[in-house]
Amino acid sequence: MRILALDSSGLTASVAAVEDEQILFEYTMNYKKTHSQTLLPMLDEAVSITGMPLESVDAIAVAGGPGSFTGLRIGSATAKGLGLALDKPLIHVPTVDAMAYRMFGFDGLICPVMDARRNQVYTGIYRFKNDFETVKEQMAEDISVVIEMLNDLGERVVFLGDGVPVYRTQIEEKMQGPYVFAPPHMCRQSAAAVGALGLVYAKEGRMENARDHKPDYLRMSQAERERLEREKEQQHDRP
């Protein structure tokens, strides 16, 4: 089975093709460009270099959130457009699940942390035993609460994600048990990980029609929050 994978949920833009036990290509960028500038050109270049026809893929896996609202919309629109044009199903892969999947074989808890601002992170808690296991499903939560959860579980932890440099001081001050930080080559989003986990989901039948795909934002956008605040103020000002 051949999976085309996209991830534009965070600072990193990444495209990959995964076929059964091998990665056919991966193109990842995290340097001074927006996803609207990079994602499709990266995909075009990768397909051009490899000569792999897009029609040869069986499904399209996309990092479905949480993450950057703009990045998720770009990834979602790209995946839906490809799915509809190629008549291929989509595989919705939660962003933090795919990030955790990169740490395959780690002996302990895996905690991806994406900076959601306002002292919050997008995260989840995972581990590998016989299989990839979800200890706490993806969530938007205060970093202090996440650290309390990990302290209560009392196991060794690896942290990864763009939230690490933002909240590293709090982690170092509040973590009570052993922990490590993932190295740079394992610390960010990867379309290859989205594709690899997408293969697992596909074999479980977890696919959807491109028309039905929606990202998981987990919380309201800043624009939505500001709109609600304005509405509350208007209601308060009414006589």
Side-chain angles (χ1 to χ4, degrees):
M1 187 173 192
R2 180 176 289 180
I3 303 290
L4 176 67
L6 311 171
D7 192 330
S8 59
S9 58
L11 299 175
T12 301
S14 186
V15 298
V18 179
E19 184 177 68
D20 298 326
E21 302 301 321
Q22 62 179 332
I23 299 170
L24 302 179
F25 68 75
E26 182 176 24
Y27 191 161
T28 298
M29 181 178 289
N30 180 15
Y31 189 74
K32 296 182 179 180
K33 297 288 185 181
T34 64
H35 297 329
S36 61
Q37 294 175 296
T38 58
L39 197 64
L40 280 174
M42 287 164 57
L43 177 59
D44 288 342
E45 185 173 350
V47 169
S48 175
I49 291 172
T50 61
M52 188 195 85
L54 286 176
E55 293 79 8
S56 69
V57 304
D58 297 294
I60 299 163
V62 59
S68 157
F69 285 77
T70 301
L72 289 175
R73 291 185 183 112
I74 291 170
S76 175
T78 302
K80 291 180 74 160
L82 287 169
L84 292 170
L86 299 170
D87 193 23
K88 304 294 182 180
L90 264 57
I91 308 168
H92 183 126
V93 179
T95 305
V96 289
D97 289 29
M99 292 174 69
Y101 201 65
R102 298 199 75 189
M103 305 304 300
F104 187 95
F106 177 77
D107 184 18
L109 299 175
I110 304 165
C111 185
V113 284
M114 298 175 66
D115 183 21
R117 303 187 179 180
R118 299 189 176 192
N119 211 50
Q120 284 197 329
V121 294
Y122 299 124
T123 188
I125 303 174
Y126 307 84
R127 66 157 64 93
F128 283 99
K129 285 193 174 178
N130 295 327
D131 295 301
F132 182 55
E133 297 180 9
T134 301
V135 179
K136 298 282 187 181
E137 292 188 354
Q138 62 178 14
M139 57 186 142
E141 189 54 270
D142 189 284
I143 185 62
S144 298
V145 174
V146 176
I147 294 171
E148 288 177 10
M149 291 180 188
L150 294 168
N151 285 335
D152 289 341
L153 290 167
E155 299 180 41
R156 184 169 178 254
V157 182
V158 60
F159 292 96
L160 66 151
D162 60 41
V164 168
V166 179
Y167 299 105
R168 184 169 185 140
T169 299
Q170 289 193 55
I171 292 170
E172 291 174 336
E173 289 175 349
K174 297 178 181 179
M175 278 297 297
Q176 297 172 0
Y179 63 89
V180 294
F181 297 109
H185 68 288
M186 302 177 75
C187 199
R188 293 293 189 269
Q189 287 87 347
S190 160
V194 172
L197 191 53
L199 274 171
V200 175
Y201 289 170
K203 291 174 182 177
E204 295 173 352
R206 297 168 61 179
M207 293 189 285
E208 62 185 357
N209 188 289
R211 290 185 178 86
D212 299 328
H213 173 74
K214 294 180 181 179
D216 293 327
Y217 296 114
L218 292 193
R219 68 177 194 178
M220 292 185 293
S221 68
Q222 181 176 347
E224 289 171 322
R225 290 196 301 270
E226 290 175 351
R227 177 179 59 80
L228 287 176
E229 288 172 1
R230 287 195 300 270
E231 289 176 355
K232 288 180 181 178
E233 289 175 358
Q234 291 170 358
Q235 291 175 354
H236 184 266
D237 292 339
R238 288 172 186 167

